[in-house]
Amino acid sequence: MSDNSTTQCLLLPDIFHKPAVLQFDQRQGSSDGGALLLKAADRRYGLIAGMADCLRDERQAGKVDHSLRELVAQRVFSIACGYPDANDAGRLAADPIHKMLLDRDPGAGRDLASQPTLSRFENAIGAKELIVWARRWRPA
């Protein structure tokens, strides 16, 4: 590793309680590292959990590989990273940062949901869920 590195001793003290040190020396990496800040913000504000709580899971339990919360998180984080189309899910399913965003091991953790799974999820959300979301998250 070269010594051409920049170290930030403290990054966003309101979110992180320990210093963050970043290294870009991994062969299998991701350009979406900033999304970890989004995850920290979500942990604080609970937006994804709140959105997932508005949904009813009517899928057959024995056939479910990804929870509704995971599907919401995967879509929210991918859209926030500049991937608004679910077609990107095929490439992002094994992305180490996107796996970390869903609390999976970036190397050995199982992959995220596929594009067909995300498309079915998005198409299953109807007007009732959108109204519940709008009422819950509208400004006071």
Side-chain angles (χ1 to χ4, degrees):
M1 182 177 144
S2 71
D3 198 23
N4 300 346
S5 60
T6 302
T7 302
Q8 176 85 25
C9 293
L10 192 58
L11 181 63
L12 301 172
D14 291 341
I15 296 176
F16 297 106
H17 300 292
K18 295 182 178 182
V21 178
L22 308 175
Q23 285 182 253
F24 300 96
D25 60 350
Q26 186 181 34
R27 286 187 313 187
Q28 184 182 16
S30 175
S31 62
D32 294 325
L36 296 174
L37 297 174
L38 295 173
K39 180 177 175 65
D42 178 62
R43 188 177 300 129
R44 170 174 276 184
Y45 297 111
L47 177 66
I48 290 172
M51 291 173 72
D53 287 345
C54 295
L55 303 174
R56 286 182 313 224
D57 196 350
E58 297 181 4
R59 301 174 292 170
Q60 293 177 352
K63 297 181 179 180
V64 172
D65 289 332
H66 308 280
S67 71
L68 287 180
R69 190 215 163 275
E70 289 174 333
L71 295 173
V72 171
Q74 184 175 348
R75 285 303 289 139
V76 167
F77 289 130
S78 65
I79 290 168
C81 288
Y83 306 104
D85 193 334
N87 288 335
D88 295 310
R91 185 174 56 80
L92 297 174
D95 184 275
I97 293 293
H98 287 263
K99 288 168 101 174
M100 287 176 63
L101 292 171
L102 272 70
D103 298 321
R104 296 188 183 164
D105 182 285
R110 62 186 179 97
D111 286 351
L112 305 181
S114 65
Q115 179 273 324
T117 299
L118 287 176
S119 292
R120 282 191 302 274
F121 163 68
E122 288 180 338
N123 290 325
I125 296 175
K128 289 179 183 178
E129 290 87 1
L130 295 175
I131 290 169
V132 171
W133 277 356
R135 287 183 178 153
R136 178 177 271 190
W137 300 107
R138 71 175 162 215

